[in-house]
Amino acid sequence: MASPLLLDPAQPDPDFGDLLAARPHLSMHALDGLTVEEVPLARIAAAVGTPAWVYSAGALRRRARALTGALKSAGLRGSVHYAVKANTNLAVLRVLAGEGLGADVVSEGELRAARAAGIPASEIVFSGVGKTERELRLALGEDIAQINVESAEEVEMLSALAASLGRVARIGLRVNPDVDAKTHAKITTGRSENKFGVAFEDAPALYARMAALPGLRPVGIAMHIGSQITAGMAAYRAAYARMAELATALLARGLPVEQLDCGGGLGIPYRDEPAPTPEALAGAIAATLGPLNLPVMLEPGRWIAGPPGLLLASVVLQKQGTGRRFLVLDAAMNDLVRPAMYDAWHGILPVSPRDFAAATAPADVVGPVCETGDTFARGRALPSLQPGALVAFLDAGAYGAVMSSTYNMRPLAAEVLVDGARFAVVRDRQTHDAILAGQRLPGWLTEGTQP
């Protein structure tokens, strides 16, 4: 089976009109060109420069409501905790907090960002296989909703720490169900060879141990089987069936199970591939876990933040190689690394209405970084684009800016939030001085004492 990220090259790409029609927060105006909500991207480029990340607040709200609504319609008592790792921008988090979403965090930085954005500690879940003592101290001090422990070693460490602080940690046990989510090998998390969670057969004894240790209050089971899952509900149903089996066994032993953390991973269609809906996911949860009548939690990231975001870039030059046309952009793999890392496909739209309607021909879309891997697309149907022409990479709101780097000493791009007819810079473009600011020369290099 082909990877959901590395799509079948034999299938024709959707045309510009199809890409646009599937993304309701985008439109093409005859005069203003490609527009996010009510703001032309050309206006943002003129004010902010490129490359720049652009997020639609309206799309974020619609997608958050779609998930919470699906759980409610399925008759589930459920809460949604946005996976902050997908996009950590404070403005994005604030929009989602306004929709009543909690947060799923995996680091001290993400926990601090969630709190700074106004997400209550009582709505934050802390996951991850390598939480440090410092991070656990912060989580205990904030009195967050739940810490998902992922090993017997972490259970012992957290018990000792919580007891020493006079705290009681509400904990969930992350269980590895050994289920293949049929996603990219680098983002699957629920198979036995993955580093996440404890083995299913070890879970009952460890859960009982958690209930007996000081400083711990077990509240439930957690599972997460991977990211960008598009192969239907079979993997989810298999994982949740194991969760139901385990929860039933724990309850039969008189152990407390108050809620079930169902993880995230719901995929999105980057090109035109079929992808499951929130309603399908809620249905799978209701069918497998519904009979337990326990509250459930979802931790989506990409599904919420991916489609509302795009990367806006400018053409530096158009280069005719031997049998190949190259469009060289001012954005690079240090900005959007997914194509280089996963061979991921992103739709690319011209911003100008004239370019949008022009004849197309195959082109390789590349950045200026000194790596052959700095290639966004090969043989993509695009018009002839002159220097300064604008293009937009679609569905870049998740695992875009958060995975950026300063490779080749390239500053991090600005981030912009659009809300109706308004837009604002929500992270300034990094300066070259800022990149250098944290570096220091040792004294022997500045005092002429180098050996």
Side-chain angles (χ1 to χ4, degrees), residues 253-423:
R253 293 176 58 177
L255 294 169
V257 180
E258 301 173 21
Q259 57 198 27
L260 301 171
D261 185 341
C262 298
L266 194 64
I268 61 174
Y270 281 97
R271 189 163 72 176
D272 56 358
E273 65 276 23
T277 63
E279 290 76 16
L281 179 58
I285 295 171
T288 50
L289 300 175
L292 293 171
N293 195 30
L294 291 171
V296 298
M297 304 156 63
L298 278 183
E299 295 165 356
R302 184 193 315 267
W303 197 90
I304 289 179
L310 59 83
L311 176 61
L312 182 60
S314 297
V315 174
V316 175
L317 55 86
Q318 186 168 233
K319 173 184 175 180
Q320 185 60 52
T322 304
R324 306 189 75 83
R325 177 171 65 111
F326 296 93
L327 286 174
V328 184
L329 307 181
D330 63 354
M333 65 184 287
N334 74 290
D335 300 302
L336 180 62
V337 74
R338 296 188 69 257
M341 181 176 287
Y342 303 122
D343 292 308
W345 195 98
H346 284 268
I348 305 173
L349 291 181
V351 170
S352 159
R354 179 175 296 179
D355 292 337
F356 190 88
T360 62
D364 289 1
V365 184
V366 302
V369 159
C370 293
E371 299 272 358
T372 301
D374 185 23
T375 299
F376 294 113
R378 298 187 184 277
R380 191 68 63 88
L382 288 164
S384 178
L385 295 172
Q386 298 307 306
L390 298 171
V391 297
F393 289 85
L394 305 182
D395 307 314
Y399 306 105
V402 290
M403 297 179 75
S404 297
S405 74
T406 57
Y407 185 47
N408 280 196
M409 291 293 286
R410 290 171 49 83
L412 298 177
E415 295 180 57
V416 175
L417 182 72
V418 174
D419 198 350
R422 302 172 294 180
F423 75 91

Side-chain angles (χ1 to χ4, degrees), residues 93-117:
L93 298 179
R94 189 59 171 261
V95 169
L96 298 177
E99 294 300 313
L101 268 60
D104 168 55
V105 305
V106 295
S107 70
E108 175 182 347
E110 289 187 2
L111 174 52
R112 291 186 181 280
R115 296 292 288 122

Side-chain angles (χ1 to χ4, degrees), residues 173 203-213 218 250 253 255:
L173 179 62
L206 183 55
Y207 202 90
R209 173 70 175 158
M210 288 159 46
L213 284 171
L250 295 176
R253 293 176 58 177
L255 294 169

Side-chain angles (χ1 to χ4, degrees), residues 212-262:
L213 284 171
L216 302 182
R217 176 186 156 197
V219 294
I221 306 164
M223 286 185 182
H224 180 74
I225 58 175
S227 182
Q228 186 51 11
I229 299 170
T230 58
M233 288 294 109
Y236 280 120
R237 285 177 175 268
Y240 297 154
R242 303 210 81 185
M243 180 182 277
E245 175 189 346
L246 178 58
T248 300
L250 295 176
L251 288 167
R253 293 176 58 177
L255 294 169
V257 180
E258 301 173 21
Q259 57 198 27
L260 301 171
D261 185 341
C262 298

